[in-house]
Amino acid sequence: MREATVLAPAKVNLFLHIVGRRKDGYHLLESLFAFADTGDRITVREAETLSFKVTGPFAPICERAGCDGDGNIVMEAARLLAAEAKKPVGAEVILEKNLPLSAGLGGGSSDAAATLKVLQILWKLEVPEKKLFDLALKLGADVPACLLGQPCFVYGIGEDITPLETFTPLNAVLVNPGRPLSTPQVFRTYAGMKKAFAVPLGLDPAANQDMETLLAETNNDLQGAAMTLCRDIQGVLKALKGTEGNLLVRMSGSGATCFGLYGSQEESEVAAAWIAREHPKWWVRSCQLVAEPPFLLSRT
Ligand code: C5P
């Protein structure tokens, strides 16, 4: 393989409970991660040295945030993997940034995970799976789950992952009000609220979970904290709740993106079109959360 383009899917936390806190300040989670059939795209090409470029609709925001160069998590992932290669490696890496930044959709984490996976193929490395997951965790708490890239229960700070045995695709609408939210700041605000930790549900991934019941009985524990930092979230939730056929409306991750779930693709598309029309400045996507998002989109 000389060149490949892969999908770094958007991540959605169908629920996110905080069940404790480690001594180092990291919060312990119980969360259900799912992945969309849409996201960023990463192209890698054989090259002597490592180079990086960002394209796509969110490239200008990436530039303004100063994450369009070596500091991007994609380059961090590439350098971490290169250090494992034990031979000279290089690649031209192009990130097509389609997802909003600092949005609770795991954009950066998913980019990092996809970079590890695709560069391992390009560089013909055989990094053991456990090592790859360790590298992923060094890059961020959500990166190991993104490396799996399939619906999973996530525990610990993100390192303890159990894939679901079955997952029926869910029709979703993702809505972001266009304001970045800093994950550390949301967690700090949550901690300041001194809420009681959630009691772990102890879910059995092998059991055929009734998704509707599970989602109805769960929450996103960061939603209240995020809402104090970003008033727009309330408007986003309201807009989603105002759409016909919505089954569940909730924030993803540390926000500010919220999602709505629908019984059919037609309903999610109509809902997305309506919200986009009413709020032209918001980022709105109709998508499916799937059992196995596509990875390799093209290769030569
Ligand atoms: O690991 P990541 O860089 O994504 O986390 C960003 C910040 O969010 C951490 O430094 C920490 O402050 C907070 N965080 C947390 N508990 C988690 C994940 C992240 O407190 N499980």
Side-chain angles (χ1 to χ4, degrees):
M1 186 179 85
R2 303 162 66 88
E3 178 178 331
T5 298
V6 296
L7 180 73
K11 166 224 74 170
V12 170
N13 298 88
L14 287 171
F15 76 85
L16 192 162
H17 288 178
I18 312 252
V19 296
R21 197 171 189 194
R22 287 196 328 197
K23 286 204 181 79
D24 65 1
Y26 267 86
H27 292 80
L28 298 168
L29 313 179
E30 184 172 43
S31 183
L32 174 52
F33 281 44
F35 295 90
D37 57 358
T38 185
D40 294 337
R41 283 168 182 236
I42 294 170
T43 299
V44 294
R45 269 188 215 121
E46 272 184 351
E48 297 267 304
T49 55
L50 259 183
S51 67
F52 180 62
K53 189 167 84 179
V54 186
T55 65
F58 285 95
I61 292 177
C62 227
E63 277 162 36
R64 255 176 275 147
C67 63
D68 57 330
D70 280 353
N72 190 288
I73 194 167
V74 162
M75 283 301 268
E76 280 180 49
R79 286 193 300 267
L80 263 189
L81 191 69
E84 295 296 319
K86 299 176 185 78
K87 61 180 179 183
V89 287
E92 192 185 332
V93 183
I94 302 160
L95 167 63
E96 184 186 299
K97 196 74 201 152
N98 300 316
L99 299 174
L101 281 76
S102 301
L105 291 175
S109 303
S110 195
D111 294 344
T115 302
L116 289 177
K117 279 200 262 189
V118 71
L119 283 180
Q120 175 160 252
I121 304 171
L122 186 80
W123 292 341
K124 300 182 180 67
L125 306 179
E126 277 170 21
V127 180
E129 204 182 20
K130 163 90 176 70
K131 179 82 205 173
L132 211 58
F133 275 89
D134 289 347
L135 295 182
L137 189 60
K138 278 191 193 163
L139 290 161
D142 282 356
V143 185
C146 291
L147 195 62
L148 176 74
Q150 291 173 12
C152 53
F153 290 120
V154 174
Y155 302 94
I157 67 160
E159 74 286 6
D160 184 353
I161 303 161
T162 313
L164 265 68
E165 292 205 346
T166 58
F167 184 80
T168 308
L170 297 170
N171 300 292
V173 174
L174 311 177
V175 182
N176 182 277
R179 289 193 199 278
L181 256 188
S182 143
T183 300
Q185 204 184 347
V186 174
F187 273 105
R188 264 200 309 274
T189 305
Y190 168 83
M193 293 164 91
K194 300 200 184 307
K195 284 193 175 178
F197 294 126
V199 176
L201 300 172
L203 298 157
D204 178 3
N208 206 351
Q209 295 281 353
D210 173 23
M211 196 53 75
E212 214 175 307
T213 310
L214 175 62
L215 296 183
E217 290 171 351
T218 50
N219 294 299
N220 182 339
D221 286 342
L222 293 176
Q223 197 168 300
M227 283 169 84
T228 67
L229 297 168
C230 175
R231 288 171 162 270
D232 291 346
I233 293 171
Q234 205 162 349
V236 171
L237 292 168
K238 191 168 167 228
L240 280 163
K241 282 180 187 156
T243 59
E244 208 151 306
N246 74 81
L247 304 172
L248 178 97
V249 169
R250 183 167 288 167
M251 190 182 85
S252 175
S254 54
T257 305
C258 300
F259 62 92
L261 298 181
Y262 298 82
S264 73
Q265 195 171 343
E266 198 194 339
E267 279 174 324
S268 68
E269 282 171 2
V270 169
W274 181 75
I275 296 174
R277 217 174 25 247
E278 294 287 309
H279 302 277
K281 291 200 173 141
W282 290 359
W283 178 85
V284 185
R285 279 291 169 289
S286 162
C287 65
Q288 265 204 330
L289 306 177
V290 289
E292 202 165 344
F295 175 61
L296 206 50
L297 301 176
S298 69
R299 66 186 287 175
T300 52

